[in-house]
Amino acid sequence: TAPVTPAGLDPDVADNFAFAFDIDGVLVRGGKPIPEAIEAMKVLNGENPFGIKVPYIFLTNGGGKFETERCRDLSRQLEIDVSPGQFICGHTPMREFANKYGTVLVVGGEGEKCREVAESYGFRDVITPGDIIKANAATAPFRALTESEIKNSRDLLARGGKMSDIVVEAVFVFADSRDWASDLQIMLDIAQSKGGRLETRSENFDEGPPIYFSHNDVLWSAAHEHVRLGMGALRKIVETVFEDVSGGRKLKTHAFGKPQVSTFEFATRLLQQWRATQHGLAESEPPETVYFVGDTPESDIKGTNAMNEKSKNEWYSILVKTGVYQAGTEPKHKPRKLVDTVLDAVNHGIRREM
Ligand code: G3P
Ligand code: MG
């Protein structure tokens, strides 16, 4: 449907409530749409007994691609037009750090993609684990770079100088690691370094740069019948092994994404803009109720409930049974409503409102 101008209020739009969706385990699993998700989008787009359109956004902890690419994938999977104006992924909030740091290490994702995403966010000097291995193959004894990795990696020593001239000011794990062993080694090397200086060792192990993960999901729902290990598992390993190699010092890393309340606040701002540009609603006011539909109690439900506590508007958590949460078990964080699929979630929210 064509967007309405901010001046013209869309007459059939729900102005007091909206939906926000988690993606993996709710709408998509292993790259394929969950069938009820396609139907749920139709209901939101007006195919409901009231003929109303309900504004919605997407809030995933996943990432590893440009937001525009993720939106193209989702558009194809859900048979709708998804705009970057209604989409937040795990690394989206990292863009706000682009001016804070000079040289950063970006970890995770396919090929060079996350370097490109980080540069598009405005990060000025992005190095990757591949660059470090290319400069010193002894960094990761069991990792041989492929020809294309060698070709695409930067030459860190091109202008002369030594590895220890390079200072990593922060580490950002943008997406899931494709090689946990070498990424772990390199992150731990940097965490133990003298202020982020490559190939140095701190005496006290207390001067490494900050390490940011784009989310903290230990588990997520992909194509396999059982849940898979996610970035939160790598985060735990980094912190635990750091303690072992540093004589018991603690490493405190940071995580963006759900369940952080700041991520839900970011989502509120996006939803307000989206309601204004797409539906002609006033940008100054968020909807009275946001229904958040997720599959992971530890991130989706915990975060929505925490946001509900903090916000003056209502955030209503709905847990589905198509992903991480296993039917019949007691969810660690209790949703306001437990349903089978995202279609039931959408119908529940609309019925509660109308
Ligand atoms: O890596 C992605 C995964 O951990 C969660 O994605 O869409 O369920 O937030 P999502
Ligand atoms: Mg999920």
Side-chain angles (χ1 to χ4, degrees):
T1 53
V4 280
T5 60
L9 177 72
D10 188 339
D12 308 322
V13 73
D15 60 355
N16 57 342
F17 71 106
F19 276 81
F21 296 99
D22 172 63
I23 295 181
D24 290 306
V26 172
L27 303 169
V28 175
R29 242 182 110 157
K32 292 208 179 76
I34 291 171
E36 289 85 355
I38 297 171
E39 196 56 35
M41 294 301 122
K42 289 187 181 148
V43 172
L44 291 174
N45 285 319
E47 290 184 32
N48 55 63
F50 315 98
I52 50 152
K53 290 182 200 152
V54 184
Y56 54 91
I57 60 166
F58 303 94
L59 180 54
T60 177
N61 274 352
K65 289 182 177 180
F66 288 103
E67 282 81 353
T68 47
E69 288 176 75
R70 285 292 311 245
C71 288
R72 265 202 301 277
D73 294 345
L74 204 53
S75 301
R76 186 175 30 79
Q77 289 156 340
L78 300 181
E79 303 173 13
I80 49 170
D81 279 337
V82 178
S83 153
Q86 61 186 146
F87 183 86
I88 298 172
C89 68
H91 46 68
T92 307
M94 287 178 171
R95 69 167 79 232
E96 296 182 339
F97 286 72
N99 291 323
K100 188 169 174 192
Y101 301 111
T103 300
V104 296
L105 178 82
V106 164
V107 178
E110 218 51 76
E112 291 294 291
K113 189 54 86 178
C114 286
R115 188 205 307 272
E116 290 166 21
V117 174
E119 286 171 351
S120 80
Y121 286 176
F123 284 98
R124 284 156 291 162
D125 187 25
V126 178
I127 68 176
T128 66
D131 302 342
I132 292 174
I133 298 171
K134 178 172 169 173
N136 183 357
T139 304
F142 306 116
R143 170 91 157 94
L145 296 182
T146 63
E147 257 173 52
S148 84
E149 283 171 331
I150 293 171
K151 188 168 144 269
N152 293 325
S153 294
R154 279 176 58 183
D155 206 342
L156 296 181
L157 305 177
R159 277 180 264 143
K162 312 181 290 300
M163 291 293 264
S164 58
D165 295 334
I166 300 167
V167 180
V168 171
E169 293 178 22
V171 176
F172 288 90
V173 184
F174 262 57
D176 286 297
S177 166
R178 301 311 198 252
D179 188 71
W180 288 40
S182 57
D183 287 348
L184 173 65
Q185 178 71 65
I186 289 168
M187 281 193 275
L188 284 175
D189 280 340
I190 292 175
Q192 297 173 86
S193 69
K194 288 190 172 148
R197 207 167 271 287
L198 292 183
E199 303 201 340
T200 62
R201 274 288 180 276
S202 164
E203 275 132 44
N204 309 317
F205 301 114
D206 61 353
E207 47 177 323
I211 302 180
Y212 300 97
F213 289 81
S214 67
H215 67 80
N216 190 39
D217 290 347
V218 175
L219 298 171
W220 67 297
S221 173
H224 198 279
E225 71 167 299
H226 299 299
V227 286
R228 302 290 87 190
L229 292 178
M231 192 187 292
L234 181 62
R235 182 184 183 206
K236 270 196 162 61
I237 296 171
V238 169
E239 293 189 346
T240 308
V241 179
F242 181 86
E243 223 178 307
D244 284 332
V245 297
S246 68
R249 276 210 171 261
K250 296 255 184 277
L251 177 70
K252 177 102 193 66
T253 65
H254 313 271
F256 293 88
K258 300 166 290 182
Q260 305 295 326
V261 168
S262 55
T263 300
F264 287 83
E265 287 166 345
F266 196 95
T268 305
R269 294 196 289 278
L270 186 88
L271 187 56
Q272 280 172 238
Q273 287 162 7
W274 177 248
R275 280 166 28 104
T277 54
Q278 182 70 10
H279 299 289
L281 297 167
E283 195 178 333
S284 51
E285 270 305 302
E288 277 162 41
T289 302
V290 181
Y291 293 89
F292 191 90
V293 188
D295 69 310
T296 306
E298 284 79 358
S299 45
D300 301 316
I301 306 307
K302 183 180 179 189
T304 307
N305 292 350
M307 181 65 181
N308 185 54
E309 288 286 303
K310 205 179 163 197
S311 161
K312 66 176 167 44
N313 302 84
E314 181 182 44
W315 278 74
Y316 186 102
S317 54
I318 307 181
L319 180 63
V320 295
K321 300 177 185 170
T322 48
V324 168
Y325 168 74
Q326 293 297 305
T329 63
E330 190 59 41
K332 227 174 163 181
H333 298 272
K334 227 178 135 28
R336 295 281 292 278
K337 181 77 184 166
L338 175 66
V339 296
D340 288 335
T341 73
V342 63
L343 179 58
D344 302 317
V346 165
N347 286 333
H348 172 75
I350 292 180
R351 266 200 307 272
R352 187 169 174 263
E353 294 291 331
M354 306 303 288

